[in-house]
Amino acid sequence: MPGRNHLFIPGPTNIPESVRMAMNVPMQDMRAPDFGEFILPLFEDLKKVFKTKDGQVFMFPSSGTGAWEAAVSNTLSPGDKVIVSSFGHFSHLWCDLLERHGLEVVNFDVEWGEGVPLDDYARVLAEDKDHKIKGVFACQNETASGVTSDIAGVRKVLDDCDHPALLYVDGISSIGCIDFRMDEWGVDLAVGGSQKGFMLPTGLGFVGVSQKALAARAQAKLPRTFFDFDDMIKTNATGYFPYTPATTLFHGLKESLRLLLDEGLENVFARHNRIAESVRRAVAAWELDLVARGPEWYSDTVSAIYVPDGFDATEVIGGAYKNYNLSLGTGLARLQGKAFRIGHLGDMNELMIVSAIAGAEMAMRDIGMNIDPGVGVGAATEYLRSSRAANLASDKAA
Ligand code: PLP
């Protein structure tokens, strides 16, 4: 089919042209005397995106799951007690990873559509008087269900009972897209991946690590080699790595960090919010339901949308791909066939999202869903128009 594929899965996301061009470089010597000068500023800019001055950010040549494993294996010991909650495919996988590492896992199974259960965390942490719980895990943005959780709230729960457990946050589909504040929220291990908000190919796993988490290494007995922070610390200090790094991706990262920081993180978050809200307006106009059960859970990076009973969401996704060259996100695990997802993160603007809404609308009508032509597109475009006008007016007033 002529024209490009319209990519609206929640990662890998669209790569800006300048980032793609930046990666079109010859292979280089990762031990060259000037390689460190190229790498060191990347660490500094990454810290700005993670919003940490006190912590350190590591880059592993892995997907996000590797970054999870690094966070866990460097800071915990077999049998350590941890609390986690699962409310979607990815938070469920976190839980699985913890169990496979031989930790004592207390898991809160939450209805899909909601997120981290603060009350349950507060109760269990308050009861844990002798501080057996070593880690508290929270998925900031559950990509499978389009649910965002309150990480500042998790920090408050820990502070309210003066609990010393480390706070681990999965920020893979949130960091660089929606508000994330590592130092302010006292996040000890913050996990990210290159193929979402960083607008890069898959292949860099990021871990932001607080000083407290770095100190926890001394007692942590889980085995680690590839993901050992110690080896990274020694070599990263001068801009090098303990093994062959993904040099090409670093050139893309340099450009994607420039794009994020030039736009300004607060503007990046506001853009994601407006684009997400336009999708929510379309969903309401289609008279469909989001999987997220209320505004407090809405995600600004991905919307998971239920199709009505009697329809199969995989047919919407298949038809969109085959007929309109539009890639929508599939319903994962228990949402398979029940929901489709629109990923609206990364390199995204108004007319791009309108194309996804138009294509989804056409694909839904194609399978006989009762949706008037153009209602979703109309609701989204009117919202985008009016919110832009409102933004311009307030800019002028300021
Ligand atoms: N956590 C979340 C919230 C995700 O969205 C994903 C991937 O989509 C992962 C973890 C796993 O990351 P990766 O596929 O990069 O290993």
Side-chain angles (χ1 to χ4, degrees), residues 102-312:
L103 300 164
E104 184 190 336
V105 181
V106 177
N107 174 42
F108 295 98
D109 237 322
V110 177
E111 290 288 335
W112 289 28
E114 297 184 5
V116 175
L118 294 182
D119 291 346
D120 288 326
Y121 278 26
R123 181 174 41 74
V124 168
L125 287 165
E127 283 167 9
D128 183 38
K129 300 281 181 229
D130 45 2
H131 298 161
K132 285 253 158 46
I133 296 170
K134 301 296 176 208
V136 172
F137 287 75
C139 179
Q140 186 182 17
N141 191 74
E142 173 51 79
T143 320
S145 58
V147 160
T148 297
S149 288
D150 176 9
I151 302 303
V154 182
R155 168 45 59 200
K156 184 168 181 314
V157 160
L158 279 157
D159 287 351
D160 284 351
C161 57
D162 217 1
H163 201 291
L166 294 172
L167 174 55
Y168 298 71
V169 174
D170 175 355
I172 289 178
S173 60
S174 54
I175 296 175
C177 310
I178 60 182
D179 196 10
F180 179 79
R181 310 177 197 182
M182 184 167 151
D183 285 358
E184 191 180 322
W185 296 345
V187 175
D188 293 298
L189 284 304
V191 173
S194 52
Q195 77 275 24
K196 312 266 186 196
F198 289 94
M199 307 173 288
L200 289 165
T202 316
L204 291 177
F206 304 119
V207 198
V209 188
S210 71
Q211 291 301 325
K212 182 171 154 188
L214 286 173
R217 277 167 26 248
Q219 288 81 44
K221 304 246 164 1
L222 278 171
R224 51 197 185 259
T225 307
F226 182 78
F227 290 116
D228 201 327
F229 289 167
D230 281 359
D231 300 330
M232 279 289 179
I233 289 169
K234 279 183 213 138
T235 48
N236 285 181
T238 48
Y240 293 84
F241 294 87
Y243 36 68
T244 318
T247 52
T248 313
L249 293 180
F250 294 149
H251 288 272
L253 179 65
K254 180 177 174 185
E255 175 60 7
S256 76
L257 290 168
R258 186 192 69 74
L259 291 173
L260 286 171
L261 297 172
D262 278 4
E263 183 177 353
L265 289 177
E266 306 316 310
N267 295 328
V268 171
F269 304 153
R271 174 168 56 81
H272 278 80
N273 177 261
R274 270 184 76 234
I275 286 173
E277 182 57 27
S278 76
V279 174
R280 295 191 278 264
R281 299 288 172 113
V283 172
W286 292 330
E287 298 183 10
L288 297 178
D289 291 322
L290 288 166
V291 175
R293 289 199 173 169
E296 70 273 36
W297 304 116
Y298 286 168
S299 163
D300 284 346
T301 59
V302 54
S303 298
I305 302 158
Y306 281 119
V307 296
D309 287 346
F311 290 95
D312 183 349

